Amino acid sequence: MRVLVSEKIADGGLQRLRDAGHEVDVQLDLTPETLLDAVKGAHALIIRSATKVTKEVLETGTDLVVVGRAGIGLDNVDVAAATDRGVMVVNAPQSNTLSAAEHTMALLLAQARNVPQAHAALKDGRWERSKWEGVELSDKVLGIIGLGRIGKLVAQRAMAFGMKLIAYDPFVTPDRARQINVELVDLDTLMSRADFITLHLAKTPETAGLIGAEMLAKAKPTLRVINVARGGIVDEDALAAAIADGTIAGAALDVFAAEPTTESPLFELDQVVVTPHLGASTAEAQDKAGDTIAAMVELALAGDFVPFAVNVSAAEASESVRPYLPLAERLGRIFAGLCGGDGDGASGSGNSIDIEYQGQIAEYDTRILTLSVLKGFFGATSGEPVSYVNAPQVAEEQGIEVRPTATTTARDYVNLITIRSGAHSLAGTLVGLRSVPSLVMIDDHTVDVPPSEHLLVVRNEDRPGMIGTVGSVLGEASLNIDDMAVGSNEQGAKAIMVIATDRSVPDDVVTRLRGVDGIVSVYAVG
């Protein structure tokens, strides 16, 4: 597939995509207009922070499967529009965490000791030792807003400087914060107690302008604000005014509301240290981001589970659930074949699909398994590409209600996935230490057969000679039988055959079998 790369990405990641057989089309310095031309025919688009992936770009890129952001922030991607079009959006959330934490500490120290101001004065021929007196970090209170991956790394490093740590994060428990020697407080308390604050949270409608005039008015005059997160979380005009009138002592910023920018009231203040969005600008972070986003794009193009998909309703899969993803998708495809064998296509499933998870997997989040079932089902019945992103949307458009349930009670198997709709049912599991996939029930008949690519499901009257008759028809059509199971219903009647063949069973063979005396129904899957 064609992968369009619009910004500089580490060569190692791009080579990974080439090695996977994809065409990597690097076009740097695209304008919004030329991007619209370049994205036509591309199956993947890899960007950093400069490329704006708008609704228009997504509508023009009709072949797009995935947009990959080599970094964390997604301010430049219309994620909602991508989701509407079934385009997966992935990022590399762990690639620059260490670099961002270290740059936070660099700005923290630079702000405390006025390093860039003194450096500029000395290079300009001025020895201003007394003018640039700073403050120590030891025993100062550091307020961390956002105690996620980067916030925790900053806390660890600040603790080594002897700082007292407080934090605001509504998603972290007090016990978890205490484990890393951080006291959780509310935002107002943090602003009133802190000598330094550092921000580590995403820019959302709720966090935009979070640190504004009202919040800064609660601060001590010794407060210094550090922001290496996202521009716009700090109200830059309010911050400049607070520094200018002495409400707070200073600030150090790496990010701005509009980027790139070379003009700001903050740039006129000696108490302010600024850098041009360098938080992730290390060789190590760039390599990690390139490698990670290439791996995510490769998975997305292959239709596999993508751990860092941001617009998949369940983008995480525990180690206990993940082995069941291929089985769930295969069950969905086989179930579509059963329903389609009724002659009504996807509508043969009725107006709803019930998916039940039994056993140990029911203790975990199984939403990604439900997406896998839907991906398999609608991928077999829809003329359009179906992904983890748009599978629920396809179900809604076709008027099919999806009803997942889970129970930790399992009767015959440690774990079991069961699908039911209309007159059809199907169940599968993983068997043994090697986790071998197996179909264990079709249409309420017990079977034991691998969920092969090509299956023939034959319902028949329970009488002698039926297996031989079916085998003869397949043999005359030069179809090899790779595996076979004879299933029984609750009354013990051997009334179903499930046959794995070496290739797809032709329609004329299916028609011939349906005409055999004693055969009730025939379904060819795959």
Side-chain angles (χ1 to χ4, degrees), residues 53 66 72 176 193 199 211 221 238 242 270 350 364-365 401 404 495 523:
V53 183
V66 58
I72 298 178
R176 180 69 189 96
R193 287 177 53 186
L199 294 99
I211 306 302
D270 288 341
Y364 301 92
D365 187 346
E401 181 185 4
Y523 301 96

Side-chain angles (χ1 to χ4, degrees), residues 256-275:
F256 303 90
E259 295 183 5
T261 182
T262 55
E263 294 183 2
S264 168
L266 290 164
F267 297 172
E268 301 170 8
L269 301 172
D270 288 341
Q271 305 96 314
V272 175
V273 176
V274 291
T275 52

Side-chain angles (χ1 to χ4, degrees), residues 170-216:
F171 304 105
V172 174
T173 65
D175 286 343
R176 180 69 189 96
R178 277 193 293 270
Q179 290 174 9
I180 55 174
N181 297 308
V182 176
E183 177 190 356
L184 278 187
V185 296
D186 60 54
L187 189 55
D188 287 349
T189 300
L190 183 144
M191 290 299 298
S192 64
R193 287 177 53 186
D195 297 299
F196 294 82
I197 65 168
T198 178
L199 294 99
H200 306 288
L201 64 169
K203 182 185 177 183
T204 66
E206 292 73 30
T207 62
L210 180 68
I211 306 302
E214 181 180 351
M215 198 61 67
L216 291 167

Side-chain angles (χ1 to χ4, degrees), residues 217-496:
K218 300 174 182 179
K220 297 191 294 189
T222 56
L223 177 68
R224 291 166 167 85
V225 176
I226 318 295
N227 186 14
V228 187
R230 286 285 145 197
I233 298 174
V234 176
D235 183 330
E236 293 167 22
D237 290 334
L239 180 64
I243 295 170
D245 64 19
T247 301
I248 66 170
L253 304 179
D254 182 52
V255 290
F256 303 90
E259 295 183 5
T261 182
T262 55
E263 294 183 2
S264 168
L266 290 164
F267 297 172
E268 301 170 8
L269 301 172
D270 288 341
Q271 305 96 314
V272 175
V273 176
V274 291
T275 52
H277 205 146
L278 298 181
S281 294
T282 63
E284 293 84 354
Q286 296 310 303
D287 286 345
K288 291 175 190 173
D291 290 343
T292 299
I293 209 61
M296 296 302 104
V297 167
E298 183 181 356
L299 289 170
L301 292 178
D304 293 334
F305 170 68
V306 183
F308 298 147
V310 300
N311 60 339
V312 174
S313 59
E316 295 185 7
S318 71
E319 292 302 316
S320 297
V321 167
R322 192 168 299 182
Y324 286 84
L325 290 171
L327 172 67
E329 184 171 346
R330 186 68 195 132
L331 290 176
R333 292 190 70 84
I334 294 171
F335 196 71
L338 290 176
C339 296
D342 293 328
D344 295 324
S347 64
S349 64
N351 296 322
S352 63
I353 297 176
D354 294 295
I355 308 169
E356 183 179 22
Y357 305 101
Q358 299 176 30
Q360 294 177 355
I361 56 172
E363 299 174 1
Y364 301 92
D365 187 346
T366 55
R367 289 178 298 166
I368 191 68
L369 291 178
T370 299
L371 292 180
S372 294
V373 171
L374 298 181
K375 182 171 177 282
F377 184 89
F378 292 111
T381 61
S382 173
E384 300 295 325
V386 179
S387 68
Y388 289 108
V389 177
N390 67 345
Q393 181 179 334
V394 174
E396 184 177 352
E397 289 172 352
Q398 296 192 14
I400 297 177
E401 181 185 4
V402 181
R403 301 185 300 207
T405 58
T407 174
T408 55
T409 302
R411 185 177 62 182
D412 299 316
Y413 300 94
V414 176
N415 293 299
L416 190 68
I417 301 175
T418 304
I419 310 174
R420 292 183 180 277
S421 184
H424 295 291
S425 58
L426 181 70
T429 189
L430 300 181
V431 178
L433 296 176
R434 296 175 60 189
S435 296
V436 177
S438 179
L439 293 180
V440 297
M441 184 272 287
I442 293 181
D443 288 346
D444 290 314
H445 289 71
T446 302
V447 297
D448 184 5
V449 66
S452 303
E453 186 69 23
H454 307 295
L455 287 175
L456 190 69
V457 181
V458 181
R459 293 280 296 275
N460 58 276
E461 296 177 3
D462 187 14
R463 66 190 196 193
M466 298 306 302
I467 294 175
T469 300
V470 172
S472 296
V473 173
L474 296 180
E476 290 171 9
S478 299
L479 287 162
N480 288 326
I481 296 177
D482 293 335
D483 212 320
M484 179 177 179
V486 178
S488 59
N489 58 21
E490 292 183 355
Q491 289 74 39
K494 306 296 184 182
I496 194 169

Side-chain angles (χ1 to χ4, degrees), residues 8-304:
K8 177 68 176 174
I9 304 295
D11 290 336
L14 299 184
Q15 189 58 47
R16 176 186 183 127
L17 290 167
R18 294 188 185 101
D19 292 342
H22 299 300
E23 174 196 347
V24 177
D25 181 9
V26 180
Q27 297 191 42
L28 308 182
D29 302 319
L30 290 170
T31 65
E33 292 74 25
T34 57
L35 174 61
L36 293 177
D37 287 330
V39 78
K40 294 176 181 177
H43 301 91
L45 171 61
I46 295 180
I47 63 169
R48 286 179 50 77
S49 58
T51 304
K52 307 297 183 186
V53 183
T54 62
K55 182 178 180 181
E56 186 179 9
V57 170
L58 292 161
E59 289 175 344
T60 304
T62 54
D63 294 320
L64 278 176
V65 174
V66 58
V67 172
R69 162 71 162 97
I72 298 178
L74 291 163
D75 300 350
N76 54 324
V77 180
D78 190 334
V79 178
T83 303
D84 288 342
R85 296 193 62 83
V87 177
M88 186 177 292
V89 179
V90 301
N91 64 354
Q94 300 174 6
S95 60
N96 65 1
T97 54
L98 186 57
S99 293
E102 289 184 355
H103 195 61
T104 299
M105 296 308 297
L107 290 186
L108 191 67
L109 287 162
Q111 171 54 231
R113 300 306 300 267
N114 298 308
V115 173
Q117 299 94 321
H119 167 86
L122 189 55
K123 292 198 72 173
D124 198 36
R126 303 191 310 276
W127 183 272
E128 298 177 342
R129 184 179 182 187
S130 59
K131 179 177 181 180
W132 300 116
E133 179 183 70
V135 296
E136 293 181 348
L137 296 186
S138 181
D139 292 325
K140 298 298 189 298
V141 177
L142 174 63
I144 303 172
I145 302 176
L147 203 57
R149 294 186 186 97
I150 299 174
K152 290 174 185 175
L153 290 173
V154 169
Q156 292 169 354
R157 284 149 181 76
M159 191 161 40
F161 282 89
M163 301 189 79
K164 299 174 182 177
L165 306 177
I166 61 176
Y168 168 73
D169 192 322
F171 304 105
V172 174
T173 65
D175 286 343
R176 180 69 189 96
R178 277 193 293 270
Q179 290 174 9
I180 55 174
N181 297 308
V182 176
E183 177 190 356
L184 278 187
V185 296
D186 60 54
L187 189 55
D188 287 349
T189 300
L190 183 144
M191 290 299 298
S192 64
R193 287 177 53 186
D195 297 299
F196 294 82
I197 65 168
T198 178
L199 294 99
H200 306 288
L201 64 169
K203 182 185 177 183
T204 66
E206 292 73 30
T207 62
L210 180 68
I211 306 302
E214 181 180 351
M215 198 61 67
L216 291 167
K218 300 174 182 179
K220 297 191 294 189
T222 56
L223 177 68
R224 291 166 167 85
V225 176
I226 318 295
N227 186 14
V228 187
R230 286 285 145 197
I233 298 174
V234 176
D235 183 330
E236 293 167 22
D237 290 334
L239 180 64
I243 295 170
D245 64 19
T247 301
I248 66 170
L253 304 179
D254 182 52
V255 290
F256 303 90
E259 295 183 5
T261 182
T262 55
E263 294 183 2
S264 168
L266 290 164
F267 297 172
E268 301 170 8
L269 301 172
D270 288 341
Q271 305 96 314
V272 175
V273 176
V274 291
T275 52
H277 205 146
L278 298 181
S281 294
T282 63
E284 293 84 354
Q286 296 310 303
D287 286 345
K288 291 175 190 173
D291 290 343
T292 299
I293 209 61
M296 296 302 104
V297 167
E298 183 181 356
L299 289 170
L301 292 178
D304 293 334

